Amino acid sequence: MLCRMETCDHQSSFFLEALDLLDCDERCRRFLAARAPKLKWALMTLERLSEECKTMTDRNDVEFELPRLRPFLKDLSMNLPLEINCISLLTKAKYAFFRKRLLTVLKDSMFRDYASFLKCQLDKCTSVKEVESWLRKFLKVCQIIPRPLQISGEDVQQYEFMAELLEFCYNVDIQDSLLVTSMIKITVDWYIMDSTDTRHVRQPFYKEGFLRYILQHSINARFDLISYCSKHPRTLWVYSRNFSLLNAIAFGNVDRTLIILQHGLEIFTARDIEKSGHGFPNLPQIIPERHLLILQTMCSMNCVNLFFLNISESTNIRLCSVTQAQKRCFELLWRAIPDPYVKFKEIAASIFEEYYFFIQHSVMNNMRYEKNRKYLCMYELCFKDMATGRKEPRTLKHLCRCRVRKSLKQAWNLPSGLSQLGLPKILEDYVNLEYD
């Protein structure tokens, strides 16, 4: 260790540089004990941080070593002003900041080390129970070492590890729903402030059955996955968008739309309602929720089509067509809705009512009015059977289907509970939205 004292105008002031926290020799320790006992205690506290963390993990029955923490502390250097008789407030402030920063670095290092350690252990596992045991230990580590929700671009490997760990759970068929949902929460929580950093984040390619796997475990654990993901719109886990019904319809993914509907996920979330609203928090929403659902769905499909056609909305304001897959998805949506089809005239009246309401409150929002009219025309053009004609109630058979599904959903038993009703196969498929 290099310990250097410099003379200055005040003989009572010394300077300590490049202090090695782990290999302090006896001469420096005696100097600290004699000249600055409080600082000596502080430095000794920093030395023992890694041991404290190790003790915590051992106490919680987590097998873990810290091979990288000691070299990190050993190479650490400080530059602190010392006074003979007392420690200055500046020194105390620097120490407090340094200790907080060191704790953060220690936690990051511990998590990275444990991720590498866990990968090796999972590769050696020979049974599902053994895998579950290691994953439970990993969750304990996450509780002991709480991670900041916002991570930097340098720490995305930790997120990538979690996303791959979910894929591993699916591959080995982990059946502990609480374990799976706990790992989902950790994965969804992480985000990056700068969206440009997300372009370099490696996202796993999940297999076809992964969506059903996640949804079923969420239902088994009574975990509201849709609401949780809606509260984390900036999550790094891009796959969370697959739980959105509007996203599935917009991209014309028939299979994903049917899976989401069969599992009873929320059709129009609070975040969807907020996005489709007028955006004035002090004014009430005039357009009914079901009308907003239709307009927002038309908007989403239109945006996706413009993107794939590489056409800007300003140059093709009248492009209002949908693909056959999108049309099929929108029709599937109404299998899960007991309400009658919403007609063109109803939505037109609510759009004009909102426009007139804005005028009364001195709010000019002509762009919203024009866009809503555009998407309404798109609805009439692409879904003429639904948008026009007489408004009639849905069939009694359909209403019974919706009622049965609602009861099962409230009991967190959809769609697995359908097989327990003892229905004929053809009727069970009907209740499960397989056909109309």
Side-chain angles (χ1 to χ4, degrees):
M1 188 206 74
L2 175 62
C3 181
R4 185 181 64 185
M5 294 181 290
E6 295 182 354
T7 58
C8 60
D9 295 339
H10 302 283
Q11 294 183 355
S12 62
S13 179
F14 295 88
F15 211 64
L16 184 65
E17 290 185 340
L19 178 60
D20 190 318
L21 296 182
L22 292 181
D23 297 327
C24 297
D25 58 29
E26 286 300 321
R27 186 166 60 87
C28 185
R29 289 185 182 277
R30 287 196 299 270
F31 169 79
L32 289 174
R35 301 296 188 181
K38 293 183 180 180
L39 184 60
K40 177 196 173 185
W41 174 85
L43 294 175
M44 294 297 291
T45 303
L46 290 177
E47 285 184 41
R48 294 195 56 80
L49 281 179
S50 61
E51 292 298 332
E52 292 174 7
C53 294
K54 176 65 168 61
T55 302
M56 289 179 65
T57 56
D58 288 344
R59 190 183 303 128
N60 286 271
D61 191 29
V62 178
E63 300 175 22
F64 182 40
E65 296 296 337
L66 309 176
R68 295 171 58 185
L69 293 184
R70 292 189 179 279
F72 166 76
L73 285 174
K74 186 175 181 180
D75 296 336
L76 209 58
S77 63
M78 292 179 60
N79 190 351
L80 298 176
L82 302 181
E83 293 182 3
I84 292 179
N85 298 324
C86 64
I87 300 175
S88 68
L89 293 177
L90 178 61
T91 302
K92 293 180 180 179
K94 285 187 176 182
Y95 166 71
F97 170 79
F98 176 76
R99 189 177 192 277
K100 182 178 180 181
R101 176 59 183 160
L102 180 59
L103 277 171
T104 302
V105 176
L106 285 174
K107 291 175 183 178
D108 290 342
S109 182
M110 287 180 68
F111 193 91
R112 286 193 297 268
D113 283 352
Y114 193 80
S116 301
F117 172 74
L118 183 61
K119 286 180 182 179
C120 297
Q121 296 301 321
L122 292 177
D123 290 339
K124 300 176 184 177
C125 292
T126 57
S127 66
V128 175
K129 287 186 177 180
E130 193 175 354
V131 172
E132 290 180 349
S133 175
W134 278 109
L135 292 179
R136 291 190 186 97
K137 289 182 178 182
F138 170 71
L139 292 179
K140 287 184 179 180
V141 171
C142 293
Q143 294 173 357
I144 297 168
I145 316 172
R147 301 285 307 133
L149 301 183
Q150 179 185 343
I151 62 176
S152 64
E154 300 174 354
D155 297 328
V156 294
Q157 295 86 355
Q158 300 174 22
Y159 155 75
E160 293 172 353
F161 167 73
M162 281 302 307
E164 292 172 357
L165 204 55
L166 281 175
E167 182 182 22
F168 180 81
C169 290
Y170 169 72
N171 291 335
V172 300
D173 196 21
I174 298 296
Q175 291 302 314
D176 188 335
S177 297
L178 291 176
L179 182 62
V180 174
T181 52
S182 297
M183 296 176 61
I184 291 174
K185 292 178 183 178
I186 296 175
T187 309
V188 172
D189 283 344
W190 277 333
Y191 68 94
I192 293 182
M193 284 295 294
D194 189 358
S195 59
T196 58
D197 291 339
T198 61
R199 294 176 297 179
H200 307 291
V201 178
R202 180 167 48 87
Q203 301 287 349
F205 182 77
Y206 297 106
K207 297 179 181 178
E208 184 178 353
F210 183 76
L211 179 61
R212 287 185 182 274
Y213 175 81
I214 293 296
L215 295 181
Q216 190 57 56
H217 281 297
S218 299
I219 292 172
N220 293 343
R222 301 198 171 194
F223 170 54
D224 192 348
L225 179 62
I226 295 298
S227 297
Y228 196 84
C229 291
S230 297
K231 295 175 182 177
H232 298 78
R234 298 164 66 180
T235 177
L236 274 174
W237 197 34
V238 176
Y239 190 84
S240 63
R241 300 172 188 171
N242 287 277
F243 307 131
S244 168
L245 182 61
L246 288 184
N247 180 276
I249 296 174
F251 283 91
N253 193 320
V254 178
D255 292 337
R256 180 154 62 96
T257 300
L258 184 58
I259 291 173
I260 292 174
L261 291 172
Q262 287 176 336
H263 285 78
L265 269 66
E266 194 172 355
I267 293 176
F268 203 43
T269 65
R271 178 168 174 79
D272 293 330
I273 297 174
E274 181 182 354
K275 287 175 59 178
S276 60
H278 51 60
F280 298 99
N282 297 326
L283 296 178
Q285 293 290 347
I286 304 301
I287 301 179
E289 182 178 319
R290 196 64 75 203
H291 298 187
L292 288 175
L293 168 63
I294 294 174
L295 294 173
Q296 185 63 29
T297 305
M298 298 299 118
C299 174
S300 300
M301 290 190 290
N302 183 252
C303 290
V304 169
N305 293 340
L306 290 176
F307 174 79
F308 282 113
L309 292 174
N310 197 21
I311 301 174
S312 65
E313 188 172 358
S314 59
T315 56
N316 282 273
I317 196 69
R318 297 187 179 278
L319 181 62
C320 297
S321 60
V322 298
T323 65
Q324 288 298 319
Q326 289 173 329
K327 187 174 182 179
R328 172 68 173 160
C329 290
F330 188 74
E331 292 170 350
L332 284 175
L333 167 65
W334 286 92
R335 290 184 184 178
I337 297 177
D339 301 346
Y341 297 132
V342 182
K343 301 303 178 180
F344 174 89
K345 293 182 179 180
E346 295 178 88
I347 304 178
S350 64
I351 292 175
F352 181 77
E353 183 181 356
E354 182 189 72
Y355 178 71
Y356 183 70
F357 177 81
F358 282 163
I359 293 177
Q360 288 181 319
H361 289 78
S362 303
V363 177
M364 298 303 296
N365 198 353
N366 293 331
M367 184 176 295
R368 173 175 170 81
Y369 175 77
E370 293 298 332
K371 284 189 174 182
N372 283 339
R373 291 288 300 180
K374 170 192 171 182
Y375 298 135
L376 175 58
C377 293
M378 179 178 174
Y379 174 57
E380 181 188 30
L381 177 65
C382 301
F383 304 95
K384 191 172 183 178
D385 294 341
M386 295 182 181
T388 59
R390 293 177 55 189
K391 184 168 185 175
E392 298 179 352
R394 309 294 291 275
T395 64
L396 181 60
K397 182 174 68 171
H398 173 74
L399 294 176
C400 291
R401 170 171 66 179
C402 293
R403 181 57 190 172
V404 171
R405 291 181 56 82
K406 182 179 180 181
S407 299
L408 291 174
K409 179 181 177 180
Q410 291 174 344
W412 294 90
N413 203 18
L414 188 69
S416 58
L418 291 174
S419 60
Q420 303 170 7
L421 298 178
L423 300 174
K425 176 61 176 175
I426 187 172
L427 187 55
E428 181 180 328
D429 290 344
Y430 175 78
V431 178
N432 201 29
L433 309 179
E434 294 288 349
Y435 67 92
D436 245 345

